[in-house]
Amino acid sequence: MFSFELLLDAVVLGLLLGCFYAAVSIGLSVSFGLLDVPHVAHPAFLVLASYGTYFLSEYGIDPIIAGLLLTPVFFVLGLGMYRLYYETFEKRGSDAGVRGIAFFFGIAFIIEVAIILLFGVDQRSVQAPYIGKSIDILSLRIPLRLVVAFIVALLLTLILTLYLSRTFTGRTIRAVAQDADALRLMGANPIATKQWAFGIATGVLGIAGALLIIVQPVEPTLDRAYIGRTFCVVVMAGLGSMSGTLLAGLILGVAESIVLTLYGASWAPAISFAMLLAVLAVRPQGLFGR
Amino acid sequence: MRGNGFWLAAAAFISAAYGLTVFATNDYVFFAGYIILQFMVLATAWNILGGYAGYVNFGTNAFFGLGVYTAVFMAKAFGAPLLLQILVAGLVGAVLGFAVGLLTLRMHGIFFSIATIAMSIIIETFIINWKFVGGASGVQLLRPPPTAPFDSYIRMLFVIAAVMVVLAVAVARYVQNSWIGRGLRAVRDDEIAAECTGVPTLQLKLLACSISGFFLCAMGAPAAMYLQYADPASAFNLNYSVSALAMSLIGGTAHWIGPLLGALLLASTQQLLTVTISSEVNVLVLGLMLVLFVVGAPDGLIGLYRRFFKPKSSDPSGGSSAP
Amino acid sequence: MSHPVLHVDQVTKRFGGFTAVDNVSLTLRPGERFGLIGPNGSGKTTLINCISGALRSTEGRVTFDGHDVSTLPAYKRTRRGIARSFQIPRPFKSMTVLENLLVAIDFAAVGHGLNARQQESEVTAILDKMGLGSKTHVLSSQLSQVELRKMELARAVASRPKLLISDEAMAGLSSSEIDEVLDLLIALNKDGITIIMIEHIMHAVMRFSDRVLCMEAGRVIAEGAPKDVMANPRVQEAYLGV
């Protein structure tokens, strides 16, 4: 009943999926991991970007191009979000606690309902030449859409990692995460830096949202499943670790894929949440933490 | 505080609820009223942990859903009467609450909140895969005849919910005004300082989680018979979590009256909106109100009241009145 | 000689591979004024965390008032009579000064069987003594730095401690404020409370302490009369970095 081939199949699919998970989580790795913003609405923005992609694709625009077009829009959206969050919570002192979390929870719900009101509750998907086809490698049959998502996700993760480690702004962002006061002494503006970083974290969701709707059909409440996946990846990675995000994404992807193969789809949604709970309980600093 | 006044009001409240079941002619008022009372209990119970101790539980739906399914299981397996279903659901909730309380040993803030979402999804997944209670597609339930003195089941449920409101509020009020409440506030403000000031933080958190869990879960039990149907997607609906949280924050978390007011206001508005416009719009209103209040009136309706009607409050039992 | 109020016996605290406190022992007599000094990162705060129970020592024993408290959680140690203030003040922000102290009375001084009126009068007495009487009903989040420091000490005192650990209660204060806090600590000591003072402000330590212990890199490098410790070449080296 259980074959080595089936397992290999699951592992390969899991690796492709895992890279995609890393791509949808990497924004959160910046906003929550580096900036300490309790961004529960991250997956809601992700799904919003998927619907944006869907909307543009109705005009015949390729989903990936649509994702790229959405990126600047989401970047600006992110700038605005951070400003609001900063003015409301961080500026008034450390008491964001309960209200900061509630704030993003509320935002997530508003986005969900806005999507329902605009697009309805039905599933939506996009058309593209690479969706629906598959390629055969050795004995494995791999959906082409996963391969496309894999490549774009890998590029996205790589570019963001390089940006944060090699460019001046990127390093400033990392510095602000460690010690905002020291940064202020060096003449940089920590608030502007954080706002910029939050913008980038939200901007990459443009492409991530396009990948999501390429990988699977979306519905307005899909963000709930991705709360588990994205937070699982970011926490497992160790807050703010970009290379860790990729590794954690791969681990989650393979785990989900194997459980899906062995036990069926009804158990799959719980995997990311169970792993998240386990990591939080046993090793809260993450597997690859700083 | 004016202890007698509270109990008189409580007695009047239950009498009024019962009186309504005797005199009202239209059953609709009980269908709508039950939901409002249900959210009063959920918000009040949520606030014992979230408001007093500052731990944001996103898993209200896990407790509620587990309550629904405890009732389903008890009804299917033993044909247990409703009150027993509620009591057992409450105990199950207290145990789950205790487990959630143990999470607070290692998790704070957003980590705790995410962990409670995780817990709710995991529990839901187990229920989905549990064939005896209907799995993913749910299960139909038959109402037994109502118990005397009631002649209609929905009217009986309405009075039961009213009694639960009184119990939940009485407990929340006791917690708030006793040393437990002061200790929980210390935990919320600064857990390390609390511990070093002699507050047994873990024990208090476990207590708050268990009490909160008891009522969240107990309130799930009659929902099964209210709907005469149970399925995982609606029993574990995340709307319960956002509602309990939003109602508490909008009312104000510092005082037991806050969640009660918040629930009354929001649940009534929702009942109106659901009937007149659509259930999506009511979730939208909930989300918008939550964000607006969190941004603009951080201490909720209680805070607004204090700001406008008691301008110079230096009342030692009161909360903040920042200039 | 009466039995010691606190006996720290070869306590070691490790974080992963890093040893923050390395085999430290010390003994305090009742009523003693004890100064704990050392450069930043020398393990002073970790040591008092191990004494107050905020951390549990990796090795060694802490005996307080004749009982081994090494495995007790912090709140139980506070109830037995170990109180402390924090390097960075940690008030209960949503509470008034009065309520801050009531937490200590409710929880740390349990069993003293006071009714609400007696509790309040005890708090008022403590606050008056600390010069905070006029702030009784003020929210703790609205206090100035020196008032916060005093409130932390008052909160500690409200738990009726036998041993009070003051962790840099004078950091960031003006010189007249330093004298105020110093006088308070000396007055508390006169009431019979044993005090450990961690401080960087040397003249305060010198004026206050009967005995001083200096740590560096987790170890004790000198212990004795204040003058002798300050004259110790290793202490001077640690402080001046020669």
Side-chain angles (χ1 to χ4, degrees):
Chain A
M1 89 176 235
F2 176 74
S3 73
F4 177 73
E5 253 171 51
L6 213 56
L7 185 69
L8 186 67
D9 212 18
V11 169
V12 171
L13 282 178
L15 288 173
L16 296 177
L17 203 60
C19 209
F20 159 73
Y21 286 158
V24 298
S25 308
I26 198 146
L28 188 67
S29 197
V30 173
S31 57
F32 176 55
L34 286 176
L35 307 178
D36 274 338
V37 177
H39 197 358
V40 197
H42 172 91
F45 280 100
L46 173 72
V47 174
L48 184 66
S50 294
Y51 274 89
T53 308
Y54 165 77
F55 179 76
L56 291 175
S57 75
E58 294 289 283
Y59 295 93
I61 300 172
D62 177 87
I64 291 185
I65 308 289
L68 287 171
L69 289 175
L70 285 171
T71 297
V73 180
F74 272 71
F75 176 76
V76 174
L77 198 61
L79 294 183
M81 275 296 299
Y82 183 77
R83 200 76 222 171
L84 183 59
Y85 175 75
Y86 170 77
E87 296 287 341
T88 313
F89 302 104
E90 291 195 340
K91 198 173 159 188
R92 290 185 195 168
S94 55
D95 196 29
V98 172
R99 295 184 202 113
I101 299 170
F103 172 76
F104 283 108
F105 207 39
I107 298 275
F109 261 73
I110 293 172
I111 293 176
E112 267 186 22
V113 183
I115 294 174
I116 293 176
L117 293 175
L118 290 172
F119 296 94
V121 291
D122 299 333
Q123 286 196 337
R124 302 284 163 174
S125 52
V126 288
Q127 299 300 319
Y130 42 84
I131 295 174
K133 294 189 185 138
S134 48
I135 49 171
D136 295 308
I137 300 173
L138 300 175
S139 63
L140 302 176
R141 164 156 290 226
I142 297 166
L144 195 54
R145 62 193 162 86
L146 270 186
V147 178
V148 171
F150 168 78
I151 293 166
V152 178
L154 203 58
L155 280 174
L156 183 67
T157 312
L158 212 63
I159 291 170
L160 205 61
T161 308
L162 287 176
Y163 174 76
L164 285 172
S165 59
R166 296 290 155 84
T167 66
F168 180 75
T169 322
R171 276 186 241 156
T172 318
I173 291 171
R174 298 201 78 101
V176 81
Q178 311 253 325
D179 192 341
D181 290 328
L183 197 69
R184 191 179 280 118
L185 293 175
M186 286 157 55
N189 177 350
I191 310 304
T193 308
K194 282 186 173 185
Q195 191 179 11
W196 181 261
F198 201 88
I200 289 175
T202 316
V204 295
L205 281 177
I207 300 177
L211 294 182
L212 174 60
I213 201 170
I214 289 172
V215 169
Q216 67 172 110
V218 296
E219 47 165 337
T221 53
L222 186 63
D223 61 323
R224 296 173 186 189
Y226 276 86
I227 289 181
R229 294 193 176 122
T230 53
F231 274 89
C232 174
V233 169
V234 171
V235 172
M236 208 195 317
L239 297 180
S241 162
M242 296 302 137
S243 48
T245 304
L246 188 57
L247 277 171
L250 293 175
I251 292 175
L252 174 62
V254 171
E256 263 194 14
S257 179
I258 289 177
V259 170
L260 191 75
T261 311
L262 294 184
Y263 300 100
S266 63
W267 288 100
I271 297 309
S272 60
F273 286 102
M275 286 172 73
L276 172 61
L277 212 50
V279 173
L280 281 175
V282 178
R283 209 181 139 78
Q285 71 272 40
L287 300 184
F288 321 103
R290 44 177 181 189
Chain B
M1 294 183 96
R2 298 146 308 185
N4 288 335
F6 174 82
W7 289 110
L8 280 175
F13 178 73
I14 292 178
S15 313
Y18 181 70
L20 203 60
T21 62
V22 177
F23 298 111
T25 48
N26 187 345
D27 261 1
Y28 170 73
V29 66
F30 302 109
F31 279 101
Y34 173 86
I35 296 295
I36 296 172
L37 295 174
Q38 165 187 298
F39 278 113
M40 283 178 163
V41 172
L42 294 184
T44 300
W46 183 90
N47 197 48
I48 291 173
L49 181 65
Y52 300 163
Y55 277 84
V56 179
N57 175 10
F58 278 162
T60 303
N61 59 340
F63 288 93
F64 188 85
L66 204 57
V68 170
Y69 274 94
T70 303
V72 169
F73 176 77
M74 302 262 306
K76 280 196 69 170
F78 317 112
L82 183 61
L83 288 182
L84 187 62
Q85 294 172 19
I86 295 174
L87 186 69
V88 172
L91 295 177
V92 169
V95 171
L96 181 64
F98 191 87
V100 167
L102 290 175
L103 292 179
T104 66
L105 262 178
R106 308 203 62 158
M107 297 168 208
H108 306 261
I110 184 71
F111 293 103
F112 174 78
S113 304
I114 296 290
T116 55
I117 297 190
M119 176 198 73
S120 78
I121 303 272
I122 292 166
I123 293 176
E124 184 184 349
T125 306
F126 272 98
I127 299 286
I128 287 175
N129 287 284
W130 189 13
K131 293 286 175 290
F132 180 75
V133 292
S137 51
V139 58
Q140 206 85 36
L141 297 163
L142 274 181
R143 276 179 188 164
T147 318
F150 299 99
D151 52 9
S152 125
Y153 206 85
I154 184 66
R155 293 178 188 223
M156 182 173 89
L157 283 177
F158 178 77
V159 173
I160 287 175
V163 172
M164 287 178 75
V165 169
V166 168
L167 289 178
V169 170
V171 170
R173 179 172 168 274
Y174 173 76
V175 167
Q176 180 189 323
N177 293 332
S178 66
W179 55 276
I180 305 173
R182 181 169 283 143
L184 289 174
R185 272 175 80 191
V187 166
R188 184 190 62 193
D189 283 355
D190 192 322
E191 208 160 326
I192 290 171
E195 180 83 18
C196 287
T197 313
V199 179
T201 54
L202 179 62
Q203 285 89 330
L204 283 188
K205 289 188 293 183
L206 289 173
L207 186 64
C209 287
S210 304
I211 295 174
S212 178
F214 180 93
F215 284 106
L216 292 176
C217 207
M219 199 63 239
M225 281 304 165
Y226 174 83
L227 294 167
Q228 305 183 63
Y229 180 74
D231 72 295
S234 40
F236 289 89
N237 197 320
L238 202 60
N239 287 0
Y240 290 113
S241 299
V242 79
S243 299
L245 174 152
M247 289 163 182
S248 296
L249 289 179
I250 288 170
T253 55
H255 194 281
W256 56 266
I257 198 92
L260 211 55
L261 283 179
L264 182 64
L265 183 78
L266 279 170
S268 323
T269 319
Q270 285 187 329
Q271 285 303 305
L272 281 174
L273 287 176
T274 307
V275 174
T276 51
I277 312 177
S278 76
S279 58
E280 276 76 45
V281 173
N282 90 48
V283 181
L284 181 66
V285 168
L286 193 72
L288 282 173
M289 292 271 281
L290 174 59
V291 171
L292 277 179
F293 265 83
V294 162
V295 171
D299 294 317
L301 294 170
I302 297 179
L304 290 179
Y305 172 78
R306 285 203 176 123
R307 200 185 309 167
F308 292 115
F309 296 100
K310 285 203 251 163
K312 285 207 176 109
S313 150
S314 59
D315 155 25
S317 68
S320 60
S321 58
Chain C
M1 203 174 106
S2 54
H3 74 90
V5 63
L6 177 75
H7 181 55
V8 173
D9 189 17
Q10 300 184 322
V11 160
T12 295
K13 178 67 189 176
R14 288 191 202 92
F15 298 102
F18 172 68
T19 308
V21 171
D22 192 358
N23 200 21
V24 170
S25 298
L26 65 90
T27 304
L28 289 191
R29 291 185 304 276
E32 202 170 6
R33 301 205 295 241
F34 191 81
L36 183 55
I37 62 171
N40 283 326
S42 58
K44 304 185 296 291
T45 296
T46 307
L47 175 63
I48 64 150
N49 278 339
C50 290
I51 295 172
S52 71
L55 293 173
R56 210 159 285 183
S57 50
T58 318
E59 284 165 28
R61 276 198 332 168
V62 178
T63 312
F64 179 73
D65 210 15
H67 300 279
D68 184 355
V69 297
S70 313
T71 56
L72 291 185
Y75 79 92
K76 283 195 177 158
R77 299 192 201 190
T78 308
R79 288 177 177 184
R80 282 177 183 263
I82 304 179
R84 67 174 292 185
S85 72
F86 293 91
Q87 206 170 350
I88 297 159
R90 290 171 165 270
F92 301 127
K93 290 188 295 285
S94 76
M95 302 186 198
T96 62
V97 172
L98 171 78
E99 290 173 301
N100 263 274
L101 269 68
L102 285 177
V103 173
I105 293 199
D106 263 358
F107 287 95
V110 281
H112 293 299
L114 303 175
N115 64 32
R117 189 172 297 268
Q118 288 167 322
Q119 289 190 351
E120 284 214 30
S121 72
E122 175 160 348
V123 168
T124 314
I126 294 172
L127 288 176
D128 284 340
K129 189 170 179 183
M130 304 298 255
L132 283 175
S134 63
K135 302 287 178 187
T136 308
H137 296 299
V138 172
L139 270 182
S140 59
S141 55
Q142 291 169 3
L143 297 179
S144 70
Q145 188 67 17
V146 64
E147 287 164 352
L148 270 180
R149 298 286 186 189
K150 287 183 189 170
M151 192 203 75
E152 282 228 322
L153 290 176
R155 191 172 67 192
V157 170
S159 68
R160 299 193 176 178
K162 297 189 182 87
L163 169 67
L164 171 63
I165 305 171
S166 156
D167 191 358
E168 294 197 34
M170 299 167 196
L173 300 187
S174 73
S175 61
S176 65
E177 290 168 343
I178 289 174
D179 286 340
E180 260 180 76
V181 173
L182 199 54
D183 290 340
L184 280 178
L185 288 173
I186 290 172
L188 292 174
N189 177 253
K190 292 238 162 70
D191 293 345
I193 302 175
T194 309
I195 296 180
I196 298 179
M197 183 168 94
I198 297 185
E199 204 51 70
H200 278 305
I201 298 160
M202 276 311 145
H203 71 85
V205 181
M206 299 296 284
R207 203 185 122 197
F208 177 80
S209 314
D210 301 325
R211 200 148 58 98
V212 170
L213 183 148
C214 180
M215 289 179 73
E216 192 204 4
R219 297 209 180 103
V220 177
I221 57 170
E223 188 185 351
K227 273 190 194 131
D228 300 341
V229 170
M230 290 316 288
N232 184 313
R234 284 188 68 190
V235 174
Q236 291 186 347
E237 193 182 322
Y239 265 89
L240 301 173
V242 182

